[in-house]
Amino acid sequence: MQGVVFTGDRQIELMTFPDPTPGPGEVVLEMKASGMCGSDLHQYRRPKGQARQGTGLPPNPNPTIGGHEPCGVVVAIGPDVLPAQAKIGERVMVHHYTGCTQCAHCRSGWQQLCQEVPVKVYGNNAHGGHAKYMKVPADTLVPLRDELSFTAGAAIACGSGTAYGALRRMNTGGRDTIAIFGQGPVGLAATQFAKAMGARVIALDISAKRLERAKEFGADEVVDPGSNDPVAAIKDLTHGKYADLALDTSSNPEARLNAIRSTKVWGTMCFVGEGGDVKIDVSPHLLRRQMTLVASWTFSNVIQAECADFCVERKIDVDKLFTHRWKLEQADEAYKLFDKQSDGKGVFLI
């Protein structure tokens, strides 16, 4: 089979790999959709010869198939896989991490937090979904409900699931006004979910196209920080109270600080954008405003399944996020466009 490999310096190679065979406890999926995620750009942009960036996890020195938003069908099952774990023909997403499987974090569904062994992140230091087939442990599978498309499952497998997990951690609800900084795929999904949770949404981005899409996804107000003071704008839109909640999906240092400054006294602000930094003046920005600062790294497999249920029960059109659908042979063109970070979400259909 052929798989997409990030070789560094914004270059991609379609390499040939053996078709995978499942070992004990493993399954092989025939991929149907594999999403493109903003954190892919860390791998895409890294200098040649350097370790894969953005996760802080041990790199794989061998060519590794990209793609950590996998969704497909079970086509082969290895020994020791229980019928309750996987069935031939089952439609599934993948929780794209594997740890030791036995520690408290792993057993509670948070394998990415495992402290016992180097964690595998599919699409980073282990083969991901940008290929015809993908081999994973059966315990990473999350069922995909029939009401959801494979492309929706791919989005939930990281970008949309990350947005949902952050909103859930902040206990977002109908009494809240939330400011969402960045309206790329994760921020737009957050706008979509926050509206479904009943919140009033203020969407921020420097792209007019992305702000227009945010309106289509339910944003009550939109702000362009490139031509407005976002903190003053949010203060004005909330009659001087500032936002109950703020979420930064951009990883931009200025946006991160503005998200904190835009949050009310006793409010909650959450970081989900990977990479970058921020300089916080702790006393005025946090202590003297009784701020709760949250860092949210993706989600557990339990929350991934919950997100899928939420999408079905609230009739959320996850597929609306996608503006581009590609074949694997178009990977170079796809990532060149995605690298501009000016459009919507892309997915490989396999």
Side-chain angles (χ1 to χ4, degrees):
M1 68 178 185
Q2 290 189 307
V4 175
V5 177
F6 300 118
T7 57
D9 287 333
R10 291 178 163 85
Q11 294 182 20
I12 279 175
E13 189 173 339
L14 204 58
M15 296 185 181
T16 300
F17 296 85
D19 290 351
T21 302
E26 295 178 332
V27 300
V28 171
L29 310 181
E30 182 178 331
M31 300 307 304
K32 298 298 183 181
S34 185
M36 300 168 66
C37 180
S39 57
D40 289 344
L41 295 176
H42 293 289
Q43 319 311 330
Y44 181 67
R45 294 167 176 169
R46 67 182 167 85
K48 278 187 179 293
Q50 289 194 11
R52 293 163 179 81
Q53 303 296 313
T55 64
L57 298 168
N60 186 340
N62 302 314
T64 306
I65 299 169
H68 61 271
E69 295 188 339
C71 196
V73 173
V74 177
V75 292
I77 297 176
D80 304 326
V81 176
L82 299 174
Q85 291 180 296
K87 298 178 180 66
I88 297 294
E90 186 175 10
R91 304 168 80 248
V92 293
M93 302 177 284
V94 176
H95 187 248
H96 59 274
Y97 309 97
T98 298
C100 73
T101 75
Q102 297 303 309
C103 70
H105 297 303
C106 289
R107 289 168 68 87
S108 64
W110 291 93
Q111 295 206 52
Q112 67 267 44
L113 300 182
C114 181
Q115 306 296 303
E116 304 302 318
V117 300
V119 174
K120 289 182 180 178
V121 180
Y122 297 102
N124 187 295
N125 61 356
H127 289 318
H130 288 356
K132 184 175 182 180
Y133 299 108
M134 181 180 181
K135 180 176 70 173
V136 293
D139 63 10
T140 65
L141 301 183
V142 179
L144 179 69
R145 291 179 56 166
D146 290 340
E147 297 94 332
L148 295 171
S149 69
F150 288 111
T151 51
I156 292 166
C158 186
S160 291
T162 292
Y164 179 84
L167 295 171
R168 188 180 183 277
R169 283 202 63 187
M170 292 192 289
N171 297 313
T172 307
R175 296 176 63 185
D176 296 316
T177 293
I178 182 169
I180 301 176
F181 285 73
Q183 290 296 304
V186 175
L188 200 59
T191 292
Q192 190 177 41
F193 287 143
K195 283 304 298 179
M197 293 172 181
R200 177 189 181 214
V201 177
I202 302 172
L204 299 96
D205 203 287
I206 58 173
S207 164
K209 181 186 285 188
R210 286 185 166 183
L211 289 179
E212 189 59 40
R213 292 203 80 207
K215 291 179 185 176
E216 295 171 6
F217 277 66
D220 298 281
E221 309 285 351
V222 295
V223 174
D224 177 0
S227 56
N228 298 275
D229 177 346
V231 180
I234 290 169
K235 180 181 181 182
D236 182 59
L237 290 168
T238 56
H239 307 289
K241 296 179 181 179
Y242 297 99
D244 301 285
L245 310 172
L247 174 66
D248 177 69
T249 70
S250 72
S251 74
N252 177 278
E254 187 176 357
R256 284 173 167 167
L257 183 56
N258 283 334
I260 292 171
R261 295 175 60 221
S262 300
T263 307
K264 73 175 188 180
V265 173
W266 293 108
T268 299
M269 187 271 154
C270 181
F271 292 128
V272 297
E274 288 271 22
D277 57 16
V278 62
K279 184 176 180 181
I280 301 170
D281 192 345
V282 173
S283 291
H285 293 155
L286 303 180
L287 296 184
R288 295 174 190 174
R289 296 166 60 220
Q290 300 288 11
M291 275 274 293
T292 298
L293 195 59
V294 175
S296 184
W297 185 25
T298 60
F299 41 80
S300 69
N301 57 9
V302 175
I303 294 172
Q304 184 174 346
E306 180 186 304
C307 178
D309 289 340
F310 184 85
C311 291
V312 172
E313 290 160 5
R314 304 299 175 93
K315 294 181 171 55
I316 294 173
D317 185 4
V318 181
D319 292 293
K320 189 177 177 183
L321 286 168
F322 293 98
T323 56
H324 296 82
R325 290 165 171 80
W326 307 93
K327 297 180 180 179
L328 290 178
E329 307 87 77
Q330 299 174 293
D332 185 57
E333 179 187 357
Y335 275 99
K336 280 179 179 174
L337 178 63
F338 192 41
D339 188 34
K340 296 177 181 178
Q341 292 185 278
S342 60
D343 218 321
K345 190 171 179 65
V347 63
F348 292 103
L349 302 180
I350 304 158

